[in-house]
Amino acid sequence: MSAYFVGDLHGCFDELQMLLERVRFDPAKDKLYLTGDLVARGEKSLECLRFVKNLGSSAQTVLGNHDLHLLACAYGIKKVKTRDNLTALFAAPDFDELIDWLRRQPLFVHDESLNFSLVHAGLSPDWDVATAQACACEVETVLRQGDYRALLRQMYDSRPERWSPGLQGIERLRYSINVFTRMRFCYADHRLDFDCKLPPEQAPSELMPWFACDNPLFKTENIIFGHWASLVDYPTPANIYALDTGCAWGNRMTLLRWDDKRIFSQSAVKKSHVF
């Protein structure tokens, strides 16, 4: 068995298939992990969702911010953005089945045997693995069997900016969602910033990538994430794997084979999509 990790798909189905063919991915014995944001911007979100769902136990994705936004749109909470290219998905006969499947996906995957943690955006500079697991479980429980419509309606806010174990209710859930699916930069005091999407070298001096904060976890845990397309080619620490390399924006899709840490890349089939 080989484990493979792939960055954000964003509807770029053809590039994914090219990568899987190159490494001879075999769902009968291999497993594919995805950093989330399966949908939006590229032209084949429907194909991406169907493919990952149909792989069954041979694939595992985490939820990204675009996946959560799709859920909000599916339940009539938000309107679909034209640039997200989701017309075919919403018209699909298996749309409800796909949405129900997506809603049940995790925010965080931690595997002790393979020694990795998988998230879409990152982990809080104030968390250890146990806290991350607990916070993810709280959100996942609501999405799967709670008042998920209310949660999706109330998640669109950047507050609270800072973690506290005393956070409760929607503020606690929203902080967790923002960390797992939206975070890029933090301040030195661990407050989250959601305004800057630049590469770290172009960011204001008071900001630092979340993985550069003073959390011992970030020096010891293998963390695999996506979300941050402008981080492409930025030199992250050896245990931090940034896999969103901007395929939907005309760059490339990246696949990591965990056995030997070899990276495979596939250039975007189309020059670019609308950002």
Side-chain angles (χ1 to χ4, degrees):
M1 170 187 168
S2 291
Y4 295 93
F5 295 83
V6 67
D8 302 18
L9 301 187
H10 278 299
C12 298
F13 180 72
D14 296 335
E15 292 87 343
L16 173 64
Q17 295 305 306
M18 292 174 185
L19 279 172
L20 294 181
E21 182 177 350
R22 189 184 310 171
V23 299
R24 298 181 180 178
F25 175 77
D26 182 355
K29 62 179 182 179
D30 299 329
K31 185 152 186 175
L32 179 65
Y33 294 90
L34 302 100
T35 61
D37 276 1
L38 306 183
V39 302
R41 308 305 169 89
E43 296 179 352
K44 295 186 177 181
S45 292
L46 173 59
E47 289 86 345
C48 286
L49 277 181
R50 280 178 176 165
F51 178 74
V52 177
K53 176 180 177 294
N54 290 338
L55 281 175
S57 60
S58 297
Q60 179 62 69
T61 188
V62 289
L63 289 168
N65 54 305
H66 283 272
D67 303 318
L68 289 173
H69 185 68
L70 170 60
L71 293 177
C73 293
Y75 296 119
I77 297 165
K78 290 288 184 177
K79 292 185 177 180
V80 179
K81 300 173 183 177
T82 303
R83 64 186 180 183
D84 280 346
N85 285 313
L86 296 176
T87 302
L89 173 58
F90 273 77
D94 53 344
F95 175 72
D96 290 341
E97 181 181 345
L98 291 168
I99 291 299
D100 187 66
W101 170 82
L102 186 65
R103 179 167 56 83
R104 299 176 187 280
Q105 300 311 300
L107 286 167
F108 178 55
V109 173
H110 176 71
D111 191 310
E112 290 189 3
S113 62
L114 291 179
N115 191 27
F116 73 81
S117 287
L118 173 68
V119 288
H120 176 62
L123 294 174
S124 169
D126 293 311
W127 286 351
D128 55 18
V129 168
T131 305
Q133 289 176 312
C135 289
C137 184
E138 290 165 4
V139 177
E140 291 159 10
T141 299
V142 177
L143 286 174
R144 293 168 183 173
Q145 58 193 44
D147 191 350
Y148 54 84
R149 293 174 186 266
L151 175 60
L152 292 168
R153 189 178 299 111
Q154 297 177 75
M155 71 178 179
Y156 290 91
D157 198 311
S158 296
R159 297 167 296 178
E161 300 174 329
R162 178 77 192 270
W163 168 252
S164 167
L167 286 175
Q168 297 181 3
I170 187 58
E171 287 199 336
R172 184 180 178 95
L173 296 173
R174 189 191 296 126
Y175 177 87
S176 298
I177 288 173
N178 285 340
V179 164
F180 284 123
T181 70
R182 294 182 58 210
M183 178 178 65
R184 292 183 180 89
F185 288 104
C186 296
Y187 292 91
D189 63 0
H190 295 183
R191 283 179 298 123
L192 309 181
D193 170 81
F194 296 108
D195 295 326
C196 185
K197 299 181 181 181
L198 296 169
E201 62 270 19
Q202 299 177 24
S205 58
E206 65 269 21
L207 297 179
M208 65 182 72
W210 60 265
F211 51 82
C213 292
D214 57 349
N215 185 341
L217 182 67
F218 300 160
K219 295 180 174 61
T220 58
E221 182 74 11
N222 289 315
I223 303 174
I224 303 161
F225 71 105
H227 181 59
W228 199 344
S230 64
L231 202 62
V232 60
D233 296 327
Y234 181 79
T236 58
N239 61 308
I240 304 294
Y241 299 85
L243 296 187
D244 182 6
T245 45
C247 186
W249 323 130
N251 201 337
R252 64 183 186 269
M253 186 175 289
T254 294
L255 182 80
L256 166 66
R257 185 166 62 200
W258 194 240
D259 309 31
D260 56 5
K261 308 302 185 291
R262 182 177 173 184
I263 292 287
F264 300 84
S265 294
Q266 173 60 51
S267 298
V269 173
K270 286 202 168 186
K271 187 172 182 181
S272 66
H273 298 290
V274 178
F275 199 0

